[in-house]
Amino acid sequence: MFSLLFLITTSYATDKNCLWHDSFGYTYDISKLHNINNYQVPDTDTSMGMFNMVYEFNFCTGAVRCQGRDVAAFEALEVMGKVTENCDVLGLKETQEFGYVNPVYPELGISITYKQGDMCFDVKDDGGLQKIIADNEQMQMSPRSVTFEITCGKDEPNFRVIDSSKCNIRLGIQHSAGCRSGSSPSGGSQTMLLYIILAAGLYFGGGIAYNKKQYQLSGVDALPHSHFWKDFPHLVKDGINFTVIKVFGIIKKFRGLSSEGGYAVI
């Protein structure tokens, strides 16, 4: 029973990681973005013929590994169609953050950001790093990050590079995963169901283990309050029979009164 409970809660937790309930009560299913082969987005700005920079990533399950770490995305060098192992990590999985593509118009879609723990200098602006050094100012560092912008629309097969710098990459795609698909109260009911399952597991599992150890009971006798559970099927059966008899009695009485030219308030 404990193994079954663990399996249920584990699968629930995995599914939950693929869902995001926004502040307006809508649900987004990130598992729709799964790609068995992972996405590879060519960076045409740094393309060198048979050498090419690619961004490889995946969401939820099917973790991408880079230098022994589970990551959401990494930038790598592709040589003759093969991605080398010398990759540059862009986002660790545990730093997942959700938001909107445009906070003013949340219905346009969502964004998912992953940040790496390591810090770096962003030198996207012309002469940015040189200017900082020349001005003898304190050099600002920021964590490396990759942001995926998923706008609501017809599914596209691949992401595209929206913006790229040394520290921050923005990739975009039009996909149904960015569309509102329901309301989050369902998420609350799922949480309540999980608590009920956990409580039932603790009640039965703990009670059975205690009765087996303390009283050497087995089978149905080991269930907590076993007398109640033995009688439970009969109680259900009696309840159904009682309900059926009552309903037919009311119908019979109603028909008898209506045949006399009047109706009774039931």
Side-chain angles (χ1 to χ4, degrees):
M1 178 172 288
F2 281 117
S3 60
L4 177 61
L5 179 64
F6 176 77
L7 179 63
I8 293 173
T9 53
T10 301
S11 61
Y12 172 82
T14 302
D15 293 338
K16 188 177 180 181
N17 289 334
C18 294
L19 298 176
W20 179 54
H21 307 296
D22 71 3
S23 57
F24 295 93
Y26 290 96
T27 301
Y28 298 87
D29 185 1
I30 312 305
S31 66
K32 294 179 181 178
L33 288 171
H34 279 342
N35 186 333
I36 297 176
N37 300 316
N38 295 328
Y39 292 97
Q40 294 188 13
V41 184
D43 185 349
T44 55
D45 294 335
T46 58
S47 178
M48 299 174 288
M50 69 176 183
F51 303 101
N52 191 42
M53 295 302 295
V54 299
Y55 304 106
E56 186 170 341
F57 47 89
N58 213 319
F59 303 87
C60 304
T61 56
V64 178
R65 292 188 63 81
C66 173
Q67 298 174 354
R69 292 191 285 180
D70 286 336
V71 298
F74 68 79
E75 182 183 51
L77 181 67
E78 185 181 50
V79 182
M80 300 296 290
K82 183 178 181 180
V83 179
T84 64
E85 294 182 359
N86 185 22
C87 53
D88 192 0
V89 180
L90 290 176
L92 301 177
K93 271 191 167 291
E94 58 268 22
T95 61
Q96 187 181 51
E97 297 177 1
F98 289 97
Y100 307 107
V101 172
N102 187 336
V104 180
Y105 303 103
E107 66 276 4
L108 291 181
I110 62 173
S111 66
I112 309 173
T113 299
Y114 298 90
K115 293 182 180 179
Q116 180 189 357
D118 301 337
M119 307 294 283
C120 71
F121 294 106
D122 199 326
V123 293
K124 178 186 176 184
D125 296 333
D126 295 337
L129 182 57
Q130 288 74 16
K131 183 178 185 301
I132 292 174
I133 296 174
D135 293 345
N136 197 25
E137 297 176 358
Q138 183 179 1
M139 290 181 289
Q140 299 294 321
M141 300 183 71
S142 61
R144 295 207 54 164
S145 67
V146 56
T147 298
F148 304 98
E149 297 185 355
I150 302 107
T151 54
C152 178
K154 185 178 180 180
D155 292 358
E156 291 180 340
N158 290 298
F159 280 79
R160 58 188 175 277
V161 180
I162 298 176
D163 193 18
S164 176
S165 65
K166 181 175 176 60
C167 293
N168 302 286
I169 309 296
R170 286 174 58 220
L171 303 171
I173 195 173
Q174 188 182 68
H175 202 281
S176 59
C179 301
R180 295 174 168 182
S181 59
S183 57
S184 61
S186 61
S189 63
Q190 289 176 357
T191 303
M192 182 61 68
L193 178 61
L194 177 62
Y195 286 142
I196 293 173
I197 293 174
L198 288 173
L202 291 173
Y203 170 73
F204 286 105
I208 290 173
Y210 178 81
N211 288 337
K212 282 185 176 181
K213 183 177 181 180
Q214 188 72 15
Y215 302 108
Q216 287 76 47
L217 299 176
S218 61
V220 180
D221 293 330
L223 285 171
H225 302 93
S226 59
H227 296 294
F228 171 79
W229 295 111
K230 286 179 180 179
D231 295 336
F232 185 72
H234 302 290
L235 293 174
V236 173
K237 182 179 178 181
D238 292 342
I240 293 174
N241 290 336
F242 176 79
T243 302
V244 170
I245 292 172
K246 278 291 184 182
V247 169
F248 275 102
I250 291 171
I251 293 174
K252 184 176 180 181
K253 181 179 179 182
F254 177 81
R255 286 180 174 177
L257 291 174
S258 63
S259 64
E260 296 174 1
Y263 293 88
V265 177
I266 300 173

